[in-house]
Amino acid sequence: MAILQKHGKNSSPDLVCLKETPPDKTGVAGGHQKKWSEQNTNWPRPLARIWTVVLLLGTCLLYCARVAMPICAVSMAEKFKWTKREQGMVLGSFFWGYCFTQVLGGYVSDRVGGEKVLLLSAAAWGAMTAFTPVLAHFCSQPIFSMTLARFLMGLLQGVHYPSLASLCSQKVVESERGFLMSTVGSGSYLGTLVIGGAGSLMLDLYGWESVFYLSGLLSVLWAYCMWKYLLKGEGPIITLESLGNGGPQPKLTKRHWLRLFKQPAVCAVIITHLCTASTFFTLLSWLPTYFKDTFPDAKGWVFNVIPWFVAIPSSLLSGCLSDHLISQGYDTAGVRKLMQFFSMGVSSVFTLLLCGTNTFPTAVAFVSATMGFTTFSHSGVSVNVQDLAPSCAGALFGVMNTCGAFSGVLMVYFSGYLIEATGSWASVFALITVVNLVGLVTFLAFAEARRVDIDTSKARYHNIHI
């Protein structure tokens, strides 16, 4: 493909950064020594592999706790006499909370370290999950307590992915970021499978309370193990002084944020992530209804499980492939574009094929292919933000995720309107394809992999003053 080009060692992004890094008082050698010390902050490969497994389990538990309420919603609605509207209010309150802490979580992670934010948030949302049945039983108005609990869950879990982006940009070398992000991203599909299977079984055997207790306590246990064995018991305290003065990344001023948002490559990743998140939320929300309407006699576990089984190895494959291509000398921007082409271009082909599908096995195959190729974005736009602005990757990813969450909610509602107005699922699949193509064309046209958080407009040897 034309977008893939090999480059030599002399054109590596690290050397570009060296040219744009001012020499310190010790001269050029001091500048190289400073760059060398920055590289030493990266995890060694064995430690990076350990962190990859730990973050994979953490993301898996994140989704176990997140999906616990949708699984138990029917049983809780029967017990507390909720209407469909009240049930929808409880479920929807999560996403409104989820939107508000994306940027804040990324900003704090850039300042004090993503591992601290991940630890504190996991302990908090894990405890909130385990405490949910208590709130439901001992509150006089369970509908209000559950709506508030889900809103708080959204607030606490909203910092997870921006913190991951910040942590990865600070600790992982460029040629290994694709594997880590795609592996950790597959934890969302694994968590959905685990809570869907084990949670449904526990719901039938022990009641809906057991689902919250188990997922919440396991999340708190995960946070404790990370603190005890990876952080070596260091206090995860975040102070105002650490936010204002210290931290692994310096602070960007308002003027430099405005300059950053004027960069075409930054606008491209925001628009592309917005489109990716919108189509993913739409598929996630409406595919079960599509199968129920189109194939009413089909087994629910088939279309609820098989696509996610396909998504897990597909996500891992994309990470291995992208890192391999970069390590072989292919242009980083070209690799990111190739991964996004598979995610938004190839997946759209299978989405369109759903319009003329008449058999259940064929529909499951096309949906599985769609979800599988969609996961390639973990090695595309999701990692590209770390290439562009490692000094503020967490906060910038928070901006992307906030836009994606808001647009996703709106597109889910609009898709429901289209279904009622047209009476055809083809209109929804066509909408998904159009949105995907808009994001893909934008990314292919404007995406880059060079750092844009460095100011080279005034002088050759000056970084942004932060």
Side-chain angles (χ1 to χ4, degrees), residues 368-397:
S368 299
T370 298
M371 301 307 295
F373 281 112
T374 298
T375 64
F376 276 63
S377 65
H378 292 307
S379 302
V381 66
S382 296
V383 188
N384 189 226
V385 65
Q386 301 165 28
D387 303 325
L388 295 174
S391 65
C392 55
L396 187 55
F397 191 88

Side-chain angles (χ1 to χ4, degrees), residues 334-362:
V335 174
R336 304 296 186 226
K337 291 179 180 181
L338 177 64
M339 296 298 106
Q340 205 60 33
F341 173 78
F342 281 114
S343 175
M344 306 184 83
V346 179
S347 69
S348 295
V349 174
F350 292 98
T351 302
L352 281 179
L353 289 175
L354 285 170
C355 298
T357 303
N358 297 319
T359 62
F360 177 67
T362 306

Side-chain angles (χ1 to χ4, degrees), residues 68-79:
M69 178 64 79
I71 287 179
C72 301
V74 175
S75 299
M76 296 177 70
E78 293 177 355
K79 180 176 179 59

Side-chain angles (χ1 to χ4, degrees), residues 4 20 31 60 97 186 219 226 290 296 309 348 422 431 443-444 466:
L4 278 181
E20 296 172 344
C60 175
S186 67
S219 301
M226 186 175 77
Y290 161 74
F309 267 123
S348 295
T422 64
L431 173 65
F443 195 75
L444 293 179
I466 44 183

Side-chain angles (χ1 to χ4, degrees), residues 136-153:
H137 285 297
F138 290 95
C139 182
S140 59
Q141 296 291 334
I143 182 66
F144 295 118
S145 63
M146 290 300 94
T147 301
L148 178 61
R150 289 296 291 175
F151 179 78
L152 293 176
M153 276 286 291

Side-chain angles (χ1 to χ4, degrees), residues 55-381:
L55 295 175
L56 167 65
L57 293 176
T59 305
C60 175
L61 291 170
L62 177 93
Y63 267 77
C64 287
R66 182 181 300 185
V67 182
M69 178 64 79
I71 287 179
C72 301
V74 175
S75 299
M76 296 177 70
E78 293 177 355
K79 180 176 179 59
F80 299 116
K81 310 300 181 184
W82 292 344
T83 64
K84 290 292 184 182
R85 183 178 180 181
E86 290 173 331
Q87 184 177 339
M89 182 174 66
V90 172
L91 294 174
S93 59
F94 173 89
F95 294 99
W96 294 113
Y98 188 73
C99 294
F100 286 114
T101 51
Q102 299 282 334
V103 179
L104 176 62
Y107 169 79
V108 176
S109 297
D110 291 335
R111 302 292 295 144
V112 304
E115 65 276 11
K116 291 184 178 181
V117 178
L118 286 171
L119 174 60
L120 289 174
S121 64
W125 56 255
M128 175 65 70
T129 304
F131 196 62
T132 296
V134 179
L135 287 174
H137 285 297
F138 290 95
C139 182
S140 59
Q141 296 291 334
I143 182 66
F144 295 118
S145 63
M146 290 300 94
T147 301
L148 178 61
R150 289 296 291 175
F151 179 78
L152 293 176
M153 276 286 291
L155 287 176
L156 295 170
Q157 290 198 351
V159 305
H160 184 83
Y161 282 103
S163 299
L164 282 179
S166 177
L167 183 63
C168 184
S169 69
Q170 296 167 14
K171 300 293 186 180
V172 183
V173 296
E174 180 186 70
S175 60
E176 296 181 1
R177 289 173 184 168
F179 175 78
L180 185 143
M181 290 299 290
S182 62
T183 303
V184 173
S186 67
S188 60
Y189 316 122
L190 180 61
T192 304
L193 282 175
V194 169
I195 197 65
S200 299
L201 183 62
M202 293 181 63
L203 179 65
D204 295 334
L205 295 177
Y206 306 109
W208 61 268
E209 295 90 346
S210 62
V211 180
F212 288 97
Y213 289 141
L214 182 64
S215 57
L217 293 176
L218 285 177
S219 301
V220 173
L221 178 62
W222 174 82
Y224 172 78
C225 291
M226 186 175 77
W227 170 75
K228 182 71 174 178
Y229 298 106
L230 284 181
L231 299 182
K232 307 300 182 182
E234 294 181 3
I237 304 301
I238 299 175
T239 62
L240 292 177
E241 181 181 0
S242 65
L243 290 175
N245 299 321
Q249 299 291 355
K251 182 180 179 181
L252 288 170
T253 64
K254 180 179 179 180
R255 180 169 57 89
H256 300 120
W257 271 109
L258 292 175
R259 182 186 296 121
L260 196 64
F261 285 125
K262 291 180 180 179
Q263 296 287 338
V266 174
C267 295
V269 296
I270 294 175
I271 294 173
T272 304
H273 186 79
L274 183 152
C275 295
T276 300
S278 299
T279 55
F280 179 77
F281 281 140
T282 303
L283 289 170
L284 188 67
S285 300
W286 287 111
L287 279 178
T289 307
Y290 161 74
F291 278 107
K292 285 292 185 182
D293 289 349
T294 311
F295 309 102
D297 298 328
K299 298 293 184 181
W301 68 268
V302 176
F303 57 78
N304 283 329
V305 170
I306 291 181
W308 305 112
F309 267 123
V310 174
I312 293 173
S314 176
S315 180
L316 297 176
L317 172 64
S318 70
C320 294
L321 178 60
S322 65
D323 286 354
H324 174 72
L325 291 174
I326 292 174
S327 66
Q328 292 298 309
Y330 287 96
D331 177 55
T332 302
V335 174
R336 304 296 186 226
K337 291 179 180 181
L338 177 64
M339 296 298 106
Q340 205 60 33
F341 173 78
F342 281 114
S343 175
M344 306 184 83
V346 179
S347 69
S348 295
V349 174
F350 292 98
T351 302
L352 281 179
L353 289 175
L354 285 170
C355 298
T357 303
N358 297 319
T359 62
F360 177 67
T362 306
V364 172
F366 288 158
V367 168
S368 299
T370 298
M371 301 307 295
F373 281 112
T374 298
T375 64
F376 276 63
S377 65
H378 292 307
S379 302
V381 66

